[in-house]
Amino acid sequence: MNFTSQIILLLGGLALFLHGMNVMTDGLKAAAGNKMKAFLQGMTRNRWTSLVAGTGITAVIQSSSVTTVLAVGFVSAGLISFQSTLGIILGANVGTTITAQIIAFKITKASWIMIAVGFLAGFIFKNKLVKNAGTIVLGLGLVFLGMTVMSEATAPLKSYEPFLDLMKGLDNYIYGILIGALFTALVQSSSATTGIVIIMASQGLIAIEPAIAIIMGANVGTCVTALLSALGKPKAAMRVAVSHILFKVFGVLIWYAFISQLAHLVEDISPGSESRQVANAHTIFNLANTFLFIWLVKPISKLVVWMVPEKKKKEERLFQELHDFYLQDVSLALELSQNSIAKLGEKVLEILKAGIPMALTGKENELVALRNKDTLIDKGHAEILTFLQNIQSQSISKKQSHILERQIEAVNVLESAADVVTTSLVEAAEHRIEKGFYVSTDTVQRIAVVHNMALEAFDAAVQFYSEDDILADDTLAKDQFKQGLQDVRLYLIDRLSVTAENRIEIYRFESEVLEGIRRIHALARRLKRKAG
């Protein structure tokens, strides 16, 4: 044997296989579009629907990591509970078995045709559906080509005695599990390990029992990948990784004593086809574990929360969900930033509600507390803008670019609205206190009417960032606000004739408050337009 050439051939085939998996996954993700997010979020009512969602999405896009990222993102944003993700993870484990079933078919001779057809479909046609289908076929062709190359690389081992002796040593299943786990952790793909085992089994290089042991090890090895990817990520990501490990490790411990029985079962199901036997063993292992652990979702979720507790000290970040981890999926990242804008809008709304009455009648210490709230808004503004900047550095579509631009403008509008109160009106109120004059009760009540109209408009605008509402025609409300504003203005002008000390300064102050309310209403309308 020429070991150097065989090793190069094996590594080259593995590279083709892994690249083909990535290409196929990208094509499937593009074809699925944003629908998978809506499907995942809508199917998390209970453990069974979560299981279906995880299985369905992973079967379609052939990437459990993508499914995991989506689930973790929804947990961090508070859209679904952590317990719901356990059903999704179990479903993803079932969905990944589709890959093994696909590669078990002996259609590797069609790899060059698939590559050619897939490439030409993406190169010639402009239709997105056709291009995505071409990418999927191209990726699958590369997967089969990689398997063909790896098969050629391992063929000489059939007559290589030292290797055959090594395979006999795998009768100790622990060695097989360790090999499967280590190799999967190294290449970061359980599908690659499964593919190689299928090739070896079909060539008679490995018996079905040790092949199953390696497959079980591969299931543990893929958890190492998940754990490493969760390091330094949000708590939700680490909890998902720990859950993944518990499911897989417990599953292997349960099945370890039944490897021989599982081998006999798959031999009876697929007699004479070693490749199908390996694929079926992989599927049965994950299906059985899934339907066992689905009943234990609640206690396992409590165990994981205990193992990965929240930090005792309050985290410095205002929006924990805005983590670079979610940049792996731009559409999800944009959804998280939109939810954060809604949260920031609620905080701004609290300032706007308290700000006008406090400007009219508040004491100095109350104004200082109100001014200090601007620091929180500035912090949230900076966090969201930084996250949006990181999204902008990713590869984004034209539509996503438009959404990004609207979100940047929206978060700037929120900061401007807070500044109206915490800067302009607080300064005016400090002048009121310094001069020692008061606003009449009648004036306060009249200003409160238009203030409430502005608050209603701002509240409605903020709601569009947390709900899928259709922008309604609010022309009537706009006209009512204009009329109310004009009525108060005329009232203030009429009050100029009242003989009182500091009458001019009181009028200027009251007019400044009224102008602040007008600006808040205008910013509310601008915010609402950016949500469309």
Side-chain angles (χ1 to χ4, degrees), residues 166-367:
L166 178 64
M167 288 298 101
K168 290 177 183 177
L170 291 181
D171 289 340
N172 185 332
Y173 300 147
I174 292 178
Y175 292 151
I177 291 171
L178 289 174
I179 290 172
L182 291 173
F183 185 78
T184 301
L186 180 66
V187 300
Q188 303 276 292
S189 172
S190 60
S191 295
T193 307
T194 304
I196 291 174
V197 172
I198 286 174
I199 290 169
M200 293 176 66
S202 64
Q203 292 182 337
L205 294 173
I206 187 171
I208 189 63
E209 288 92 345
I212 291 173
I214 294 174
I215 291 297
M216 288 183 177
N219 277 274
V220 176
T222 195
C223 296
V224 175
T225 305
L227 181 62
L228 291 175
S229 67
L231 294 176
K233 303 299 188 298
K235 286 289 181 184
M238 182 56 73
R239 285 175 177 171
V240 168
V242 171
S243 304
H244 200 193
I245 292 170
L246 291 178
F247 287 140
K248 294 294 189 180
V249 171
F250 286 160
V252 169
L253 291 174
I254 291 168
W255 275 96
Y256 179 78
F258 302 101
I259 289 178
S260 295
Q261 288 83 346
L262 179 57
H264 292 313
L265 175 62
V266 294
E267 284 172 349
D268 290 339
I269 294 172
S270 308
S273 177
E274 291 81 2
S275 57
R276 295 238 61 81
Q277 290 169 14
V278 173
N280 290 336
H282 183 47
T283 300
I284 292 170
F285 171 79
N286 280 286
L287 275 174
N289 288 340
T290 294
F291 286 106
L292 169 64
F293 293 127
I294 195 66
W295 300 101
L296 304 173
V297 162
K298 285 186 179 180
I300 290 176
S301 66
K302 289 180 180 178
L303 174 62
V304 173
V305 170
W306 176 78
M307 293 174 68
V308 188
E310 293 290 347
K311 289 185 179 180
K312 291 183 180 179
K313 292 183 180 179
K314 190 176 180 180
E315 304 232 3
E316 293 182 1
R317 287 177 59 84
L318 192 62
F319 300 114
Q320 298 297 322
E321 65 268 28
L322 300 184
H323 198 289
D324 289 349
F325 174 72
Y326 304 118
L327 297 176
Q328 297 176 59
D329 187 320
V330 172
S331 59
L332 174 62
L334 287 170
E335 190 166 329
L336 292 175
S337 59
Q338 175 145 319
N339 290 336
S340 298
I341 290 171
K343 292 178 183 177
L344 185 65
E346 293 293 342
K347 295 181 185 300
V348 171
L349 193 59
E350 291 175 9
I351 291 174
L352 300 183
K353 284 179 180 178
I356 302 301
M358 209 170 288
L360 290 169
T361 60
K363 298 177 181 178
E364 189 171 1
N365 63 326
E366 293 174 322
L367 294 174

Side-chain angles (χ1 to χ4, degrees), residues 233-513:
K233 303 299 188 298
K235 286 289 181 184
M238 182 56 73
R239 285 175 177 171
V240 168
V242 171
S243 304
H244 200 193
I245 292 170
L246 291 178
F247 287 140
K248 294 294 189 180
V249 171
F250 286 160
V252 169
L253 291 174
I254 291 168
W255 275 96
Y256 179 78
F258 302 101
I259 289 178
S260 295
Q261 288 83 346
L262 179 57
H264 292 313
L265 175 62
V266 294
E267 284 172 349
D268 290 339
I269 294 172
S270 308
S273 177
E274 291 81 2
S275 57
R276 295 238 61 81
Q277 290 169 14
V278 173
N280 290 336
H282 183 47
T283 300
I284 292 170
F285 171 79
N286 280 286
L287 275 174
N289 288 340
T290 294
F291 286 106
L292 169 64
F293 293 127
I294 195 66
W295 300 101
L296 304 173
V297 162
K298 285 186 179 180
I300 290 176
S301 66
K302 289 180 180 178
L303 174 62
V304 173
V305 170
W306 176 78
M307 293 174 68
V308 188
E310 293 290 347
K311 289 185 179 180
K312 291 183 180 179
K313 292 183 180 179
K314 190 176 180 180
E315 304 232 3
E316 293 182 1
R317 287 177 59 84
L318 192 62
F319 300 114
Q320 298 297 322
E321 65 268 28
L322 300 184
H323 198 289
D324 289 349
F325 174 72
Y326 304 118
L327 297 176
Q328 297 176 59
D329 187 320
V330 172
S331 59
L332 174 62
L334 287 170
E335 190 166 329
L336 292 175
S337 59
Q338 175 145 319
N339 290 336
S340 298
I341 290 171
K343 292 178 183 177
L344 185 65
E346 293 293 342
K347 295 181 185 300
V348 171
L349 193 59
E350 291 175 9
I351 291 174
L352 300 183
K353 284 179 180 178
I356 302 301
M358 209 170 288
L360 290 169
T361 60
K363 298 177 181 178
E364 189 171 1
N365 63 326
E366 293 174 322
L367 294 174
V368 171
L370 184 62
R371 187 191 289 274
N372 290 338
K373 287 185 178 180
D374 190 49
T375 304
L376 184 70
I377 302 302
D378 288 343
K379 183 178 179 62
H381 175 259
E383 286 183 12
I384 296 173
L385 278 186
T386 300
F387 189 68
L388 292 174
Q389 182 185 37
N390 291 338
I391 294 175
Q392 198 171 30
S393 65
Q394 306 299 307
S395 177
I396 60 177
S397 67
K398 190 174 181 180
K399 182 180 178 181
Q400 289 170 335
S401 179
H402 288 322
I403 294 172
L404 185 68
E405 290 169 6
R406 290 202 303 270
Q407 290 189 1
I408 290 172
E409 291 189 49
V411 76
N412 287 334
V413 168
L414 290 176
E415 188 193 33
S416 298
D419 286 343
V420 169
V421 171
T422 58
T423 302
S424 302
L425 295 186
V426 166
E427 289 177 0
E430 287 171 345
H431 179 70
R432 168 183 61 78
I433 293 172
E434 182 184 341
K435 292 297 182 179
F437 57 76
Y438 299 92
V439 180
S440 70
T441 302
D442 188 32
T443 302
V444 169
Q445 290 174 347
R446 288 173 181 268
I447 290 176
V449 173
V450 289
H451 176 220
N452 287 333
M453 289 183 185
L455 286 177
E456 287 176 6
F458 204 91
D459 184 37
V462 170
Q463 293 306 315
F464 283 116
Y465 288 85
S466 57
E467 299 174 3
D468 296 327
D469 288 333
I470 299 172
L471 294 179
D473 183 8
D474 57 355
T475 305
L476 180 61
K478 178 184 176 184
D479 291 341
Q480 288 176 340
F481 176 77
K482 282 185 176 180
Q483 185 59 52
L485 199 67
Q486 183 63 15
D487 290 344
V488 179
R489 279 176 179 157
L490 292 174
Y491 166 78
L492 295 181
I493 292 171
D494 187 57
R495 290 269 296 167
L496 274 172
S497 62
V498 176
T499 303
E501 189 179 358
N502 297 323
R503 184 66 256 166
I504 298 297
E505 288 193 82
I506 293 174
Y507 169 77
R508 290 174 61 187
F509 169 71
E510 292 169 346
S511 297
E512 192 167 350
V513 172

Side-chain angles (χ1 to χ4, degrees), residues 1-11 153 156-157 160-163:
M1 282 184 62
N2 186 333
F3 283 106
T4 302
S5 61
Q6 297 306 120
I7 290 172
I8 291 174
L9 199 61
L10 180 63
L11 293 177
L157 295 174
Y160 189 61
E161 289 297 331
F163 178 80

